Amino acid sequence: MSKKIQAIRGMNDLLPEQTPLWQYFEAQIRSLMRRYGYLEIRTPILEQTALFARSIGEVTDIVEKEMYTFDDRNGDSLTLRPEGTASCVRAAMENGLLHNQTQRLWYQGPMFRHERPQKGRYRQFHQVGVETFGLDGPDIDAEIILLSARLWKALGLFEHVTLELNSLGSLDARRAYRETLTDYFESHLDLLDEDSRRRLSTNPLRILDSKNPDMAEMLAGAPQLLEHLDDESRVHFTKLTELLDAAGIAYVINPRLVRGLDYYSRTVFEWTTTALGSQGTVCAGGRYDGLVEQLGGKPTPAVGFAMGVERLILLLETLDLVPAESQRGPDAYLLAMGERAERDALLLGEELRDALPYLTLQVHCGGGGFKSQIKKADRSGARLALILGEDELDQGTLGLKFLREERDQETLPRAAMIERLRELLC
């Protein structure tokens, strides 16, 4: 017997009992983006490797360790996208979306990173992202934060997440700060772990993000980037906090928040939760004004965020915030008993769907007696069972059984049944 083929580790199936919650979440996202005037963009999952090496940074963990990269038959190096921003920028540049224009875009889809799978963190994972281009003021930074806050409110998560803010300043200010920070870490070299020592010569800001408790005291005494900001970035950050204050959005200024990708500048933020243990970040983003130019375009201000769908789904489940509508079965299940009824049931189902466009109806297939079919109707989660047998065919009627309520069964002519269903479902 040949060996069974299984899914790749860290790349999971979404089963039918799970997809309704995902569909609910995705519907919330689509509605929110439409209300804010953001337009959806869809990019390929495969890109040239150089796109991510140039945008994310050659010495980041993502590029060095985590990307799924291979040579295709033409010898070109291709990579499954590990994040969405670079692909969105490439698409916007290539298709002329950035020429003397502002853009508010969003996307959703799978991303890929080869890292150790754990709960809420997988090798194929899904993100929703927002990217805006051509707007350089703190107002657009505030808008995307307000947009994300509105999503938390819609999902019932607002009381369970915390907004953390920081500013990375301009490239020149960050370069000067990097030298100051490197000097500080070199003076405490004996306290750095192996990973931090490696980062010292490549990306010392990422050391600030270390979760090593043995380094906590030393990191707390490190120079803070907010104290080394250029004047323009300081004004930008102050105006952003004023806008959030006016909107009633609470936040914590976290001077150690640096983000892991090289293209960020000025505003960076994260929405975090304590409900998921170490996997506490559910949404993260910031400003990346230099990325378009870095990828060969004209200087273009940009700001955006990305959120992990698996982690947010897990958070909804952990906090018992899964809405009832995401677990609901069809409105009705049509039973068909006898050969004549089986022949008529499919056509009757189409008539009912034509008359009631909002009706969700599952028609029984495969035969079987009444007890067998009513059990399947119950397992489907349907609220109502419609009964079509020989007697109903002869009399031009249809039976109605309430599966979730203690109510008497009804029998009505077909035309009257359509009105009854309209009444029950509206």
Side-chain angles (χ1 to χ4, degrees):
M1 182 180 295
S2 60
K3 184 179 179 180
K4 289 184 178 179
I5 298 174
Q6 296 183 316
I8 299 168
R9 184 168 180 252
M11 300 187 180
N12 302 323
D13 301 307
L14 277 177
L15 301 179
E17 61 265 27
Q18 299 168 302
T19 52
L21 179 52
W22 281 67
Q23 291 166 349
Y24 162 78
F25 176 81
E26 291 162 357
Q28 293 288 334
I29 290 292
R30 284 192 295 271
S31 173
L32 182 70
M33 298 305 173
R34 185 170 57 249
R35 294 179 66 191
Y36 276 79
Y38 283 65
L39 303 176
E40 185 180 7
I41 186 169
R42 302 188 183 191
T43 62
I45 62 171
L46 267 180
E47 298 274 8
Q48 294 185 44
T49 303
L51 173 66
F52 304 113
R54 287 168 58 185
S55 61
I56 298 172
E58 295 275 7
V59 294
T60 58
D61 286 348
I62 295 174
V63 172
E64 287 183 333
K65 302 177 181 179
E66 298 173 1
M67 295 202 313
Y68 281 92
T69 297
F70 62 94
D71 291 339
D72 73 357
R73 294 182 179 180
N74 296 326
D76 298 321
S77 180
L78 305 180
T79 294
L80 289 169
R81 61 186 183 197
E83 57 94 39
T85 300
S87 292
C88 188
V89 171
R90 191 270 312 149
M93 290 171 54
E94 185 174 339
N95 293 283
L97 302 184
L98 305 184
H99 182 63
N100 295 327
Q101 300 176 69
T102 62
Q103 296 288 350
R104 288 175 166 92
L105 305 174
W106 75 278
Y107 56 84
Q108 63 179 339
M111 311 292 164
F112 303 84
R113 295 186 192 179
H114 191 281
E115 52 188 343
R116 184 172 64 87
Q118 51 190 294
K119 197 169 186 180
R121 188 172 187 171
Y122 306 109
R123 290 177 175 173
Q124 177 176 309
F125 58 99
H126 296 76
Q127 284 187 341
V128 170
V130 158
E131 315 291 354
T132 70
F133 301 98
L135 300 162
D136 60 4
D139 50 354
I140 190 63
D141 300 23
E143 179 181 271
I144 66 170
I145 291 173
L146 292 173
L147 182 153
S148 57
R150 186 173 293 275
L151 177 63
W152 311 143
K153 293 173 184 177
L155 296 173
L157 293 174
F158 190 68
E159 302 301 322
H160 303 279
V161 293
T162 299
L163 174 63
E164 298 184 9
L165 286 179
N166 195 18
S167 176
L168 300 183
S170 67
L171 181 60
D172 290 339
R174 195 160 66 254
R175 188 179 292 117
Y177 170 70
R178 174 174 170 156
E179 293 178 5
T180 302
L181 190 63
T182 300
D183 290 342
Y184 175 81
F185 286 141
E186 287 179 342
S187 69
H188 296 82
L189 200 60
D190 57 322
L191 299 177
L192 297 181
D193 57 25
E194 182 180 348
D195 193 45
S196 297
R197 291 188 183 193
R198 180 180 62 83
R199 285 173 168 164
L200 186 57
S201 60
T202 57
N203 196 348
L205 270 70
R206 291 289 287 122
I207 300 175
L208 294 172
D209 204 28
S210 172
K211 303 299 188 292
N212 186 339
D214 296 333
M215 294 169 51
E217 185 177 350
M218 181 271 294
L219 292 175
Q224 294 189 6
L225 183 51
L226 285 173
E227 297 171 354
H228 294 75
L229 291 182
D230 55 288
D231 291 341
E232 192 174 347
S233 295
R234 185 175 292 107
V235 170
H236 185 102
F237 190 67
T238 298
K239 288 183 177 178
L240 170 61
T241 57
E242 289 173 351
L243 287 168
L244 295 176
D245 290 338
I249 301 296
Y251 54 86
V252 174
I253 294 178
N254 179 359
R256 290 171 55 187
L257 177 59
V258 295
R259 305 297 300 123
L261 307 181
D262 285 355
Y263 52 61
Y264 284 104
S265 60
R266 290 193 182 175
T267 304
V268 288
F269 67 90
E270 290 185 356
W271 287 96
T272 63
T273 182
T274 59
L276 296 178
S278 62
Q279 302 300 319
T281 301
V282 294
C283 175
R287 184 164 280 281
Y288 51 96
D289 293 339
L291 182 56
V292 175
E293 185 176 15
Q294 187 176 322
L295 292 176
K298 295 182 179 180
T300 304
V303 63
F305 68 69
M307 60 182 70
V309 180
E310 281 87 351
R311 205 168 290 182
L312 284 166
I313 295 292
L314 178 60
L315 184 58
L316 290 172
E317 293 173 332
T318 300
L319 297 172
D320 197 22
L321 292 172
V322 176
E325 58 262 39
S326 72
Q327 300 174 307
R328 186 180 299 154
D331 296 321
Y333 189 102
L334 176 56
L335 284 66
M337 288 164 292
E339 290 186 13
R340 290 172 58 209
E342 290 174 10
R343 287 197 300 268
D344 194 56
L346 289 174
L347 298 179
L348 175 58
E350 295 304 302
E351 291 177 19
L352 293 172
R353 295 184 185 104
D354 286 341
L356 303 167
Y358 46 82
L359 172 70
T360 57
L361 172 69
Q362 187 169 336
V363 176
H364 181 83
C365 294
F370 179 79
K371 285 187 177 180
S372 169
Q373 293 192 36
I374 202 69
K375 284 182 179 178
K376 291 183 178 179
D378 186 51
R379 285 200 298 268
S380 77
R383 175 185 168 193
L384 307 169
L386 301 177
I387 302 167
L388 181 65
E390 298 292 333
D391 290 344
E392 287 80 13
L393 281 171
D394 291 339
Q395 298 167 15
T397 60
L398 197 58
L400 173 64
K401 183 176 178 62
F402 294 87
L403 297 175
R404 311 293 164 206
E405 304 168 69
E406 291 293 333
R407 299 171 67 169
D408 292 337
Q409 184 169 321
E410 301 175 11
T411 301
L412 297 170
R414 288 193 183 186
M417 183 62 76
I418 290 173
E419 294 306 312
R420 182 67 171 129
L421 290 172
R422 184 177 284 116
E423 174 189 323
L424 290 170
L425 299 176
C426 288

